[in-house]
């Protein structure tokens, strides 16, 4: 394979909540409307932003994380996208220089030019000072432009634009308008499929950006050839049932791709729609999501409940992450105090606390090898069970998560990133 050149831009900000997802989605939509093929990536572990970005770009959104997936994995994803697309957009995580590794680390590693999105609702000329600081804090970082969000008027926008130092392009402004904003809840944005007017919101934002006659095309970046490491087809002949609906929606596309590369055949079903585990499934994957928002349905769906219990009773592999773990418990109580019975396959009770319980990058040392991923949840687990393993937080002082292994059941609050170690992941699903 040879290197591939493609226009590219990493969209970042001084902090979370500045409007990165809104702007990235708007850019993706606008460039698509100009006939360009757009691929979008998300920096770091996130399930909700990619749902919006996939709607805007018309293509699945993968993760780029130098720690969770590794540099070679990220390079392979970027090179493949560069061969197929006219534009690559990468939405950063948190603030530009936050975290280890940060969005700035990713930009420096792959030579990605950076666009800063700044919430300018309560500032004037300080906008330019903040942009200057973001651009010059790390030597070698290439920040090419700035976009203002939540601007009050045309005069306000002009004041912000005039404050920019030389060398930073003005990418335009979005007004302080609730019609652009993306609704959120306790774990982040509301999933795109639950926002009735999500397409209209993205289109309005894209139209506003397109009104800037000087909106530049991002610079070309050379992405060196890189192939993803080979994966032995150790799951050939294995059928894996994957729960996928509004209650179990937190699935990385890369996880599903990894299972397919391992040779598995995937069957999707909806516990929320009271669908049973497919009869030919050798293994079951219950990913994270929002089971706490669907307690009456999950408690009353007798067909789905009976089939999941039968799968477990037959001694078949069952992998449950975060929301999937909560669904396995005896009961789950939501933040309003409503309590409902769950599957009763893991002794204990889950309680939604209304506040963040744990967040951060984690790894878990399985007998077959280390798998990396992350944790982010508002749920508390009350159980007398002793975990078989504990995860290892990446951040010093981080709180480990318990890993429960009972027969072929594997359950934890940690979200595993399967490309981190496909062979180890295969051992969890292999009959």
């Amino acid at each position: 394979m040879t290197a591939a050149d493609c226009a590219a831009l990493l969209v970042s900000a001084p902090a979370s909540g500045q409007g990165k997802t809104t702007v990235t989605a708007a850019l993706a939509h606008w460039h698509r409307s100009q006939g360009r093929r757009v691929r979008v990536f998300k920096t770091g572990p996130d399930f909700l932003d990619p749902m919006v970005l996939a709607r805007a770009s018309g293509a699945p959104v993968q993760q780029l994380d130098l720690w969770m997936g590794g540099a070679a994995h990220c390079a392979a994803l970027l090179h493949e996208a560069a061969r197929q697309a006219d534009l690559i957009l990468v939405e950063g995580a948190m603030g530009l220089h936050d975290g280890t590794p940060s969005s700035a680390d990713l930009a420096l590693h792959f030579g990605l030019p950076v666009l800063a999105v700044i919430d300018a609702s309560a500032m004037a000329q300080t906008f330019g000072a903040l942009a200057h600081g973001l651009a010059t804090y790390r030597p070698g970082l290439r920040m090419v432009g700035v976009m203002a969000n939540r601007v009050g008027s045309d005069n306000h926008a002009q004041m912000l634009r005039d404050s920019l130092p030389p060398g930073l392009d003005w990418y335009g402004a979005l007004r302080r308008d609730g019609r652009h904003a993306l609704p959120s809840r306790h774990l982040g944005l509301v999933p795109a499929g639950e926002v009735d007017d999500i397409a209209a919101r993205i289109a309005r934002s894209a139209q506003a950006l397109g009104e800037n006659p000087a909106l530049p095309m991002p610079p070309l970046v050379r992405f060196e050839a890189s192939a993803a490491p080979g994966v032995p087809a150790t799951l050939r002949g294995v059928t894996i049932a994957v729960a996928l609906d509004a209650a179990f929606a937190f699935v990385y596309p890369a996880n599903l791709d990894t299972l397919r590369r391992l040779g598995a055949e995937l069957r999707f079903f909806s516990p929320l729609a009271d669908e049973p585990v497919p009869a030919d499934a050798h293994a079951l994957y219950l990913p994270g999501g929002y089971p706490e928002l669907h307690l009456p349905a999950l408690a009353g769906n007798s067909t789905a409940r009976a089939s999941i219990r039968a799968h477990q009773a037959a001694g078949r592999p069952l992998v449950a992450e975060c929301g999937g773990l909560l669904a396995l418990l005896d009961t789950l109580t939501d933040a309003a105090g409503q309590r409902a019975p769950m599957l009763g396959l893991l002794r204990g009770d889950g309680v939604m606390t209304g506040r963040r319980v744990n967040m951060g990058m984690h790894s878990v040392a399985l007998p077959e090898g280390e798998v990396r991923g992350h944790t982010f949840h508002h749920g508390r687990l009350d159980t007398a069970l002793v975990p078989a393993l504990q995860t290892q937080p990446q951040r010093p002082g981080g709180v480990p998560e318990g890993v429960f292994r009972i027969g072929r059941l594997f359950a934890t609050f940690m979200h595993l990133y399967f490309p981190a170690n496909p062979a180890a992941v295969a051992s969890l699903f292999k009959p």
Side-chain angles (χ1 to χ4, degrees):
M1 289 189 295
T2 59
D5 294 335
C6 185
L9 194 65
L10 186 144
V11 181
S12 193
S16 298
Q18 302 281 297
K20 296 188 300 290
T21 306
T22 297
V23 169
T24 307
L27 286 171
H29 186 283
W30 186 82
H31 282 285
R32 280 186 74 200
S33 73
Q34 306 304 301
R36 300 185 181 105
R37 298 166 298 171
V38 181
R39 285 292 309 276
V40 183
F41 293 90
K42 171 64 183 177
T43 303
D46 195 302
F47 297 104
L48 294 164
D49 293 359
M51 295 179 188
V52 175
L53 300 175
R55 286 291 187 95
S57 65
V61 174
Q62 302 271 23
Q63 265 55 42
L64 294 177
D65 189 277
L66 293 172
W67 186 83
M68 191 169 71
H73 172 66
C74 294
L77 291 174
L78 285 167
H79 181 259
E80 180 185 10
R83 293 174 59 229
Q84 301 170 357
D86 302 306
L87 172 64
I88 291 173
L89 297 173
V90 181
E91 184 194 340
M94 304 181 291
L96 176 59
H97 300 288
D98 295 334
T100 305
S102 65
S103 297
D105 289 324
L106 187 78
L108 286 165
H109 189 92
F110 291 107
L112 298 171
V114 176
L115 168 69
V117 178
I118 300 176
D119 179 351
S121 57
M123 67 176 70
Q125 285 83 3
T126 300
F127 181 87
L130 185 54
H132 174 73
L134 290 171
T136 58
Y137 183 73
R138 288 283 296 276
L141 187 73
R142 183 186 180 192
M143 201 168 102
V144 294
V146 185
M147 182 174 290
N149 193 22
R150 305 183 183 115
V151 171
S153 66
D154 289 343
N155 286 338
H156 186 199
Q158 189 61 49
M159 189 184 304
L160 300 170
R161 183 174 186 174
D162 292 344
S163 75
L164 290 178
L168 291 181
D169 284 337
W170 172 254
Y171 270 68
L174 288 177
R175 288 293 185 92
R176 192 183 305 130
D177 186 344
R179 297 180 306 162
H180 298 310
L182 299 170
S184 62
R185 60 166 66 118
H186 56 282
L187 294 182
L189 295 179
V190 173
E194 298 181 34
V195 183
D196 292 338
D197 64 342
I198 186 69
R201 288 173 183 264
I202 293 171
R204 281 194 294 266
S205 298
Q207 182 180 8
L209 295 187
E211 291 171 357
N212 173 21
L215 183 64
M217 184 68 180
L220 287 176
V221 175
R222 172 151 293 190
F223 295 98
E224 298 299 333
S226 179
V231 175
T234 53
L235 293 181
R236 182 175 288 121
V238 176
T239 298
I240 301 175
V242 181
L244 190 61
D245 55 29
F248 304 99
F250 294 173
V251 185
Y252 291 123
N255 280 14
L256 303 180
D257 290 344
T258 298
L259 293 176
R260 293 186 182 104
R261 289 176 63 208
L262 285 162
E265 186 169 350
L266 306 184
R267 296 267 197 277
F268 299 95
F269 77 108
S270 169
L272 197 54
D274 203 19
E275 295 175 355
V277 176
D280 60 348
H282 301 100
L284 172 59
Y285 181 24
L286 287 178
Y290 286 116
E292 67 273 16
L293 300 182
H294 306 278
L295 293 183
L298 292 176
N301 287 352
S302 57
T303 300
R305 291 167 63 85
S307 69
I308 295 172
R309 286 170 169 163
H311 179 95
Q312 163 70 0
R316 297 173 183 147
L318 193 166
V319 177
E321 301 171 338
C322 201
L325 175 149
L326 293 175
L328 295 181
L329 299 173
D330 294 318
T331 68
L332 178 58
T333 303
D334 66 19
Q338 180 183 15
R339 187 182 188 191
M342 292 288 102
L343 290 163
L345 298 179
L346 194 66
R347 309 306 302 179
D349 303 289
V351 179
M352 303 308 297
T353 65
R355 60 178 178 79
R356 189 174 66 221
V357 173
N358 203 0
M359 181 181 78
M361 307 296 263
H362 285 238
S363 63
V364 59
L366 301 177
E368 298 80 9
E370 178 191 69
V371 181
R372 294 183 173 186
H374 84 287
T375 186
F376 181 27
H377 60 93
H378 288 218
R380 185 184 77 239
L381 171 58
D382 297 331
T383 181
L385 294 175
V386 178
L389 299 169
Q390 295 276 356
T391 67
Q392 177 63 48
Q394 180 214 23
R395 184 183 69 252
V399 179
E401 298 282 12
V403 178
F404 299 93
R405 303 194 76 167
I406 301 172
R408 295 307 312 276
L409 183 151
F410 176 97
T412 178
F413 272 117
M414 176 183 165
H415 297 272
L416 306 180
Y417 189 66
F418 294 180
N421 192 334
V425 167
S427 69
L428 300 179
F429 289 96
K430 193 172 180 62

mmCIF file of all heavy atoms in Angstrom, residues 97-118:
data_model
loop_
_atom_site.group_PDB
_atom_site.id
_atom_site.type_symbol
_atom_site.label_atom_id
_atom_site.label_comp_id
_atom_site.label_asym_id
_atom_site.label_seq_id
_atom_site.Cartn_x
_atom_site.Cartn_y
_atom_site.Cartn_z
ATOM 1 N N HIS A 97 -5.841 20.233 25.173
ATOM 2 C CA HIS A 97 -4.640 19.730 25.841
ATOM 3 C C HIS A 97 -4.960 18.887 27.072
ATOM 4 O O HIS A 97 -4.061 18.578 27.871
ATOM 5 C CB HIS A 97 -3.747 20.910 26.244
ATOM 6 C CG HIS A 97 -3.295 21.733 25.079
ATOM 7 N ND1 HIS A 97 -2.357 21.296 24.165
ATOM 8 C CD2 HIS A 97 -3.675 22.976 24.657
ATOM 9 C CE1 HIS A 97 -2.169 22.233 23.246
ATOM 10 N NE2 HIS A 97 -2.949 23.244 23.520
ATOM 11 N N ASP A 98 -6.223 18.498 27.246
ATOM 12 C CA ASP A 98 -6.622 17.709 28.408
ATOM 13 C C ASP A 98 -6.379 16.225 28.177
ATOM 14 O O ASP A 98 -6.594 15.700 27.089
ATOM 15 C CB ASP A 98 -8.115 17.911 28.707
ATOM 16 C CG ASP A 98 -8.443 19.329 29.128
ATOM 17 O OD1 ASP A 98 -7.540 20.008 29.653
ATOM 18 O OD2 ASP A 98 -9.593 19.755 28.932
ATOM 19 N N GLY A 99 -5.974 15.527 29.239
ATOM 20 C CA GLY A 99 -5.849 14.081 29.188
ATOM 21 C C GLY A 99 -4.482 13.606 28.759
ATOM 22 O O GLY A 99 -3.653 14.363 28.262
ATOM 23 N N THR A 100 -4.266 12.301 29.007
ATOM 24 C CA THR A 100 -3.017 11.652 28.602
ATOM 25 C C THR A 100 -3.367 10.297 27.984
ATOM 26 O O THR A 100 -3.732 9.374 28.698
ATOM 27 C CB THR A 100 -2.082 11.430 29.808
ATOM 28 O OG1 THR A 100 -1.861 12.676 30.461
ATOM 29 C CG2 THR A 100 -0.760 10.846 29.364
ATOM 30 N N PRO A 101 -3.338 10.175 26.665
ATOM 31 C CA PRO A 101 -2.976 11.191 25.675
ATOM 32 C C PRO A 101 -4.114 12.167 25.432
ATOM 33 O O PRO A 101 -5.278 11.849 25.644
ATOM 34 C CB PRO A 101 -2.679 10.371 24.421
ATOM 35 C CG PRO A 101 -3.553 9.155 24.571
ATOM 36 C CD PRO A 101 -3.613 8.864 26.043
ATOM 37 N N SER A 102 -3.771 13.361 24.966
ATOM 38 C CA SER A 102 -4.742 14.415 24.692
ATOM 39 C C SER A 102 -5.079 14.462 23.204
ATOM 40 O O SER A 102 -4.425 13.813 22.370
ATOM 41 C CB SER A 102 -4.176 15.761 25.122
ATOM 42 O OG SER A 102 -3.043 16.092 24.333
ATOM 43 N N SER A 103 -6.063 15.283 22.868
ATOM 44 C CA SER A 103 -6.357 15.519 21.451
ATOM 45 C C SER A 103 -5.155 16.149 20.757
ATOM 46 O O SER A 103 -4.879 15.866 19.582
ATOM 47 C CB SER A 103 -7.583 16.427 21.316
ATOM 48 O OG SER A 103 -8.737 15.802 21.847
ATOM 49 N N ALA A 104 -4.437 17.014 21.476
ATOM 50 C CA ALA A 104 -3.225 17.613 20.903
ATOM 51 C C ALA A 104 -2.179 16.550 20.601
ATOM 52 O O ALA A 104 -1.471 16.627 19.580
ATOM 53 C CB ALA A 104 -2.659 18.659 21.862
ATOM 54 N N ASP A 105 -2.062 15.540 21.464
ATOM 55 C CA ASP A 105 -1.121 14.444 21.198
ATOM 56 C C ASP A 105 -1.476 13.737 19.896
ATOM 57 O O ASP A 105 -0.593 13.402 19.089
ATOM 58 C CB ASP A 105 -1.144 13.436 22.352
ATOM 59 C CG ASP A 105 -0.514 13.971 23.619
ATOM 60 O OD1 ASP A 105 0.475 14.720 23.523
ATOM 61 O OD2 ASP A 105 -1.010 13.646 24.716
ATOM 62 N N LEU A 106 -2.760 13.490 19.687
ATOM 63 C CA LEU A 106 -3.197 12.836 18.466
ATOM 64 C C LEU A 106 -2.885 13.705 17.251
ATOM 65 O O LEU A 106 -2.394 13.223 16.222
ATOM 66 C CB LEU A 106 -4.691 12.538 18.532
ATOM 67 C CG LEU A 106 -5.253 11.706 17.381
ATOM 68 C CD1 LEU A 106 -4.904 10.233 17.567
ATOM 69 C CD2 LEU A 106 -6.758 11.866 17.275
ATOM 70 N N ALA A 107 -3.175 15.007 17.368
ATOM 71 C CA ALA A 107 -2.905 15.923 16.260
ATOM 72 C C ALA A 107 -1.412 15.952 15.920
ATOM 73 O O ALA A 107 -1.028 15.930 14.743
ATOM 74 C CB ALA A 107 -3.399 17.323 16.613
ATOM 75 N N LEU A 108 -0.569 16.007 16.934
ATOM 76 C CA LEU A 108 0.870 16.040 16.698
ATOM 77 C C LEU A 108 1.369 14.726 16.093
ATOM 78 O O LEU A 108 2.235 14.723 15.205
ATOM 79 C CB LEU A 108 1.594 16.324 18.012
ATOM 80 C CG LEU A 108 1.512 17.772 18.514
ATOM 81 C CD1 LEU A 108 1.933 17.865 19.977
ATOM 82 C CD2 LEU A 108 2.387 18.680 17.660
ATOM 83 N N HIS A 109 0.834 13.612 16.573
ATOM 84 C CA HIS A 109 1.289 12.304 16.103
ATOM 85 C C HIS A 109 1.011 12.112 14.610
ATOM 86 O O HIS A 109 1.847 11.565 13.872
ATOM 87 C CB HIS A 109 0.615 11.188 16.905
ATOM 88 C CG HIS A 109 1.173 9.828 16.627
ATOM 89 N ND1 HIS A 109 2.210 9.287 17.366
ATOM 90 C CD2 HIS A 109 0.865 8.891 15.679
ATOM 91 C CE1 HIS A 109 2.504 8.081 16.897
ATOM 92 N NE2 HIS A 109 1.703 7.817 15.871
ATOM 93 N N PHE A 110 -0.163 12.563 14.153
ATOM 94 C CA PHE A 110 -0.554 12.332 12.765
ATOM 95 C C PHE A 110 -0.517 13.587 11.898
ATOM 96 O O PHE A 110 -0.915 13.553 10.737
ATOM 97 C CB PHE A 110 -1.957 11.719 12.712
ATOM 98 C CG PHE A 110 -2.012 10.313 13.242
ATOM 99 C CD1 PHE A 110 -2.597 10.034 14.462
ATOM 100 C CD2 PHE A 110 -1.448 9.273 12.527
ATOM 101 C CE1 PHE A 110 -2.642 8.741 14.955
ATOM 102 C CE2 PHE A 110 -1.475 7.970 13.010
ATOM 103 C CZ PHE A 110 -2.071 7.701 14.230
ATOM 104 N N GLY A 111 -0.016 14.694 12.437
ATOM 105 C CA GLY A 111 0.079 15.919 11.668
ATOM 106 C C GLY A 111 -1.256 16.523 11.293
ATOM 107 O O GLY A 111 -1.398 17.132 10.234
ATOM 108 N N LEU A 112 -2.248 16.359 12.165
ATOM 109 C CA LEU A 112 -3.591 16.864 11.881
ATOM 110 C C LEU A 112 -3.689 18.351 12.191
ATOM 111 O O LEU A 112 -3.367 18.770 13.314
ATOM 112 C CB LEU A 112 -4.632 16.120 12.719
ATOM 113 C CG LEU A 112 -4.760 14.617 12.488
ATOM 114 C CD1 LEU A 112 -5.673 13.999 13.540
ATOM 115 C CD2 LEU A 112 -5.284 14.338 11.090
ATOM 116 N N PRO A 113 -4.130 19.178 11.254
ATOM 117 C CA PRO A 113 -4.394 20.588 11.571
ATOM 118 C C PRO A 113 -5.599 20.688 12.496
ATOM 119 O O PRO A 113 -6.504 19.846 12.452
ATOM 120 C CB PRO A 113 -4.673 21.211 10.204
ATOM 121 C CG PRO A 113 -5.091 20.078 9.339
ATOM 122 C CD PRO A 113 -4.405 18.854 9.846
ATOM 123 N N VAL A 114 -5.599 21.720 13.330
ATOM 124 C CA VAL A 114 -6.608 21.839 14.389
ATOM 125 C C VAL A 114 -7.484 23.060 14.160
ATOM 126 O O VAL A 114 -7.000 24.155 13.838
ATOM 127 C CB VAL A 114 -5.921 21.942 15.775
ATOM 128 C CG1 VAL A 114 -6.953 22.174 16.877
ATOM 129 C CG2 VAL A 114 -5.103 20.680 16.060
ATOM 130 N N LEU A 115 -8.789 22.864 14.346
ATOM 131 C CA LEU A 115 -9.759 23.956 14.394
ATOM 132 C C LEU A 115 -10.253 24.061 15.823
ATOM 133 O O LEU A 115 -10.718 23.070 16.399
ATOM 134 C CB LEU A 115 -10.943 23.678 13.460
ATOM 135 C CG LEU A 115 -12.160 24.593 13.628
ATOM 136 C CD1 LEU A 115 -11.841 26.006 13.164
ATOM 137 C CD2 LEU A 115 -13.360 24.037 12.866
ATOM 138 N N ALA A 116 -10.168 25.240 16.422
ATOM 139 C CA ALA A 116 -10.640 25.444 17.796
ATOM 140 C C ALA A 116 -12.056 26.011 17.769
ATOM 141 O O ALA A 116 -12.328 27.005 17.095
ATOM 142 C CB ALA A 116 -9.715 26.391 18.547
ATOM 143 N N VAL A 117 -12.949 25.374 18.505
ATOM 144 C CA VAL A 117 -14.304 25.873 18.712
ATOM 145 C C VAL A 117 -14.350 26.500 20.095
ATOM 146 O O VAL A 117 -14.029 25.845 21.092
ATOM 147 C CB VAL A 117 -15.337 24.736 18.616
ATOM 148 C CG1 VAL A 117 -16.739 25.258 18.884
ATOM 149 C CG2 VAL A 117 -15.267 24.066 17.247
ATOM 150 N N ILE A 118 -14.740 27.770 20.156
ATOM 151 C CA ILE A 118 -14.739 28.492 21.436
ATOM 152 C C ILE A 118 -16.129 29.052 21.704
ATOM 153 O O ILE A 118 -16.704 29.748 20.861
ATOM 154 C CB ILE A 118 -13.705 29.628 21.429
ATOM 155 C CG1 ILE A 118 -12.297 29.070 21.185
ATOM 156 C CG2 ILE A 118 -13.751 30.408 22.736
ATOM 157 C CD1 ILE A 118 -11.218 30.136 21.062
#
